[in-house]
Amino acid sequence: MQKKIRVLLLISGLVLFKIWVWDEYIVNSTADAALDGKEGKAGVSYGISNNKELAIRPYEEGFKVYAVSKGFWGWSITDEMFVGDHEIVEQELQFKGREKLYVSLIVDKKQSFDKIIGYSANIGTINFNRTVGENSILYYYYSDQPLGKVTYEGTRLNGKTEKLSRDKEPG
């Protein structure tokens, strides 16, 4: 009986240590803590699930995109990319394990579009979110399903809609 109490106290002590000491002071307790000191200014973050987060930060003529995952050692960056050199980017971001996030990113360096919409055979209509950097706007969409072949349309500030090509710069 006394042995069971010792084991129970030991387990309770380990759980309490993990919750109040380990998670708070030893490891990155939040996704934001994992991003401290990383490139880019404050941007936007999206909780994909309890243990996955997508973060986008404006950074030198473009944007840094981070996949942040929670594990035993706390939150850590599991994938990152820079967007700015190419105007239309479709890529996979890797989280812990085999989990991936499929992203479509469009950089509007001339800030000439009001909105961008995509059409995917796998997903259907894609409505893009956007965030603003120093000299450009990033339109972005993310999904846990592959996007497949996507065609893009941009609506200019004057209301005119046009198809966007991967070969030429939007705007």
Side-chain angles (χ1 to χ4, degrees):
M1 181 71 161
Q2 194 173 18
K3 190 173 187 178
K4 289 181 183 180
I5 293 174
R6 284 184 193 168
V7 170
L8 184 60
L9 287 173
L10 178 64
I11 291 172
S12 298
L14 290 173
V15 169
L16 293 174
F17 174 78
K18 179 170 184 340
I19 292 172
W20 281 294
V21 177
W22 187 262
D23 289 345
E24 290 297 321
Y25 302 106
I26 297 175
V27 298
N28 292 323
S29 59
T30 65
D32 287 338
L35 291 167
D36 280 347
K38 288 296 182 182
E39 298 169 327
K41 298 178 182 175
V44 296
S45 295
Y46 293 95
I48 306 302
S49 70
N50 288 338
N51 58 0
K52 296 187 298 187
E53 193 166 298
L54 172 69
I56 301 171
R57 294 177 153 198
Y59 176 73
E60 294 179 7
E61 301 300 321
F63 298 86
K64 291 287 285 193
V65 180
Y66 297 96
V68 188
S69 301
K70 185 176 182 182
F72 178 77
W73 298 104
W75 288 87
S76 62
I77 296 170
T78 52
D79 203 357
E80 65 183 86
M81 62 185 279
F82 172 76
V83 182
D85 297 334
H86 302 288
E87 282 68 31
I88 298 176
V89 177
E90 295 169 350
Q91 191 161 334
E92 300 172 2
L93 289 174
Q94 183 70 46
F95 289 97
K96 286 196 184 282
R98 295 183 188 158
E99 297 182 60
K100 293 182 181 179
L101 190 68
Y102 301 89
V103 295
S104 180
L105 308 156
I106 300 173
V107 178
D108 181 7
K109 290 182 181 179
K110 296 179 183 174
Q111 302 179 22
S112 58
F113 290 103
D114 183 40
K115 69 177 180 177
I116 292 182
I117 296 176
Y119 302 97
S120 165
N122 293 357
I123 297 179
T125 302
I126 298 172
N127 292 307
F128 284 80
N129 294 313
R130 73 179 180 177
T131 189
V132 179
E134 287 184 30
N135 299 316
S136 59
I137 297 174
L138 177 69
Y139 291 87
Y140 58 95
Y141 176 81
Y142 58 88
S143 174
D144 58 353
Q145 301 174 20
L147 302 176
K149 183 175 169 128
V150 180
T151 57
Y152 301 95
E153 287 183 357
T155 303
R156 292 196 174 274
L157 297 173
N158 65 9
K160 182 182 173 190
T161 300
E162 65 184 64
K163 287 196 183 264
L164 302 179
S165 170
R166 287 178 176 84
D167 299 332
K168 70 174 197 169
E169 178 178 326

